[in-house]
Amino acid sequence: MIVTTDQLFRVAYGRFAVGAYNINNMEQTVGLFKGNIQSDAPFILQISRGARKYAGARMLEAMIRAAEERFPEAIYAVHLDHGDEETCYDSIDSGFYSSVMIDASDKPFDENVAITRRVVERAHAKGVSVEAELGKLGGVEEDIAVDESNAFLTDPDEAVKFVEQSGCDSLAVAIGTSHGAYKFSGSQGLHFDRIKAIQDRLPNFPLVMHGSSSVPQEEVKRINNAGGKLDPSAKGVDVNEFVKAIPLGVTKVNIDTDGRLVWTRVHREFFRDQPEEFDFRKPGTIYIDAYADFIAHKNEKLCSAGQLPVVREELSL
Ligand code: 13P
């Protein structure tokens, strides 16, 4: 059942973080639903502009509706990830999305506010909520690349002003994570003091953590052993840090890259070990289950595993 992102946030705030996972194709969609059912977790299904370009917005929508028929016990919200204005309006008008993200974080503060405000007005008129972004994450996210020297953490005082002036419903904050497979050099982690300072000024306001993949070393090693050439020093967020961010208001955690690594590992190993094969349904089947296990594991770390009964009860579903 599709619920609003606000409903999920109301139940989750301070207790658990809702995993926000990107989908691009059928195998990923099925694995995502399976993994969340397996771990009894609510979730946010994210669609990026890249996914809409790759699979087509209507194709993704049809796939999600079909998955819902197959997994009727799922409780989730549908979210546009990193939208520009035009894509936000298309998503709002489609009537299918629970929330949209307008990402104008590369613009000066006042312009970011003005763009976000316009999207908020259109979205709220249709009951859709809006995530905005303030601060700048490093790394590569589809066609957006920000090098580390241009990344900066969210300023807590600016965050208050931004939320008041834009009317957004949740805020993606730069708190030490970065997008993509090549994140931290050295052992940089989350800036808990910064998250706390933002929460102190914005109590009970849902904060969103982008760039939350872990880039597990074991996964990178297996990919490289099967012919891949990923940087072995690649490192992401320590999954054990999620639990510390939850009481500080981090309510939505975005994970995409790690799921791509699972796909790459399964397919590279499959074709390495069975070079005579060309039936892609075989690795596809392995991938669906591997992706479901991956989602269930992340949900344990986000403390969203086992929360479906709580969500059902509190939302009277
Ligand atoms: P990762 O690249 O760390 O998976 O982050 C994804 C993300 O933030 C999507 O918005």
Side-chain angles (χ1 to χ4, degrees):
M1 164 187 284
I2 298 180
V3 294
T4 69
T5 306
D6 284 347
Q7 282 176 307
L8 290 185
F9 284 170
R10 239 180 292 136
V11 181
Y13 189 93
R15 287 179 177 164
F16 63 92
V18 186
Y21 303 104
N22 293 67
I23 60 140
N24 295 275
N25 65 11
M26 180 276 288
E27 289 81 358
Q28 215 177 11
T29 308
V30 174
L32 177 61
F33 276 78
K34 263 188 141 175
N36 284 295
I37 295 306
Q38 205 170 299
S39 54
D40 235 1
F43 62 103
I44 294 174
L45 183 155
Q46 302 204 125
I47 298 173
S48 68
R49 271 183 293 157
R52 288 163 60 100
K53 199 165 152 207
Y54 173 65
R58 303 298 166 253
M59 174 68 86
L60 292 167
E61 195 179 316
M63 236 158 42
I64 295 163
R65 291 197 193 282
E68 165 137 343
E69 271 181 40
R70 190 167 155 191
F71 302 97
E73 58 284 51
I75 297 179
Y76 63 103
V78 178
H79 177 80
L80 172 71
D81 189 27
H82 289 286
D84 54 13
E85 254 189 291
E86 191 193 335
T87 319
C88 282
Y89 298 147
D90 185 67
S91 305
I92 294 164
D93 293 341
S94 75
F96 185 62
Y97 288 72
S98 322
S99 49
V100 293
M101 176 194 193
I102 173 69
D103 182 1
S105 60
D106 60 329
K107 305 279 190 303
F109 183 87
D110 288 338
E111 207 179 331
N112 190 357
V113 169
I115 294 169
T116 304
R117 180 81 236 159
R118 283 200 291 274
V119 173
V120 165
E121 275 161 18
R122 285 268 294 258
H124 285 184
K126 295 253 172 108
V128 172
S129 57
V130 177
E131 173 184 326
E133 179 164 332
L134 186 66
K136 214 174 246 183
L137 271 72
V140 179
E141 171 76 9
E142 300 200 325
D143 54 344
I144 312 162
V146 179
D147 69 43
E148 266 182 53
S149 57
N150 282 321
F152 57 86
L153 299 184
T154 304
D155 178 284
D157 292 323
E158 275 197 358
V160 179
K161 262 196 340 195
F162 184 85
V163 169
E164 276 171 10
Q165 292 176 15
S166 70
C168 67
D169 305 285
S170 62
L171 189 64
V173 283
I175 46 181
T177 62
S178 57
H179 287 120
Y182 304 121
K183 296 178 184 293
F184 306 144
S185 35
S187 57
Q188 187 188 356
L190 299 183
H191 292 256
F192 291 105
D193 49 344
R194 186 60 65 113
I195 314 176
K196 172 88 176 69
I198 298 170
Q199 188 197 36
D200 284 346
R201 288 164 181 78
L202 287 170
N204 296 315
F205 190 82
L207 304 177
V208 179
M209 199 161 93
H210 280 242
S212 308
S213 280
S214 303
V215 194
Q217 302 270 297
E218 180 56 25
E219 205 72 74
V220 172
K221 209 155 98 193
R222 285 176 69 175
I223 290 171
N224 287 348
N225 282 342
K229 279 204 169 78
L230 298 183
D231 177 353
S233 70
K235 204 168 149 214
V237 180
D238 176 352
V239 281
N240 298 312
E241 293 206 320
F242 294 151
V243 70
K244 295 186 238 161
I246 293 165
L248 302 176
V250 170
T251 315
K252 173 173 178 275
V253 169
N254 286 15
I255 297 170
D256 184 13
T257 297
D258 281 352
R260 297 178 189 219
L261 294 178
V262 175
W263 188 95
T264 307
R265 184 249 301 160
V266 166
H267 288 82
R268 277 200 179 277
E269 287 184 345
F270 180 85
F271 288 111
R272 175 199 61 192
D273 297 341
Q274 291 165 89
E276 72 290 354
E277 269 295 352
F278 57 91
D279 183 353
F280 55 78
R281 292 169 298 190
K282 291 180 182 169
T285 305
I286 300 169
Y287 167 70
I288 289 172
D289 286 338
Y291 193 59
D293 289 345
F294 158 82
I295 295 288
H297 169 73
K298 289 285 184 196
N299 290 341
E300 290 292 335
K301 298 295 179 185
L302 295 169
C303 306
S304 63
Q307 299 285 353
L308 270 189
V310 179
V311 172
R312 267 192 211 104
E313 194 187 318
E314 294 201 8
L315 299 180
S316 310
L317 300 173

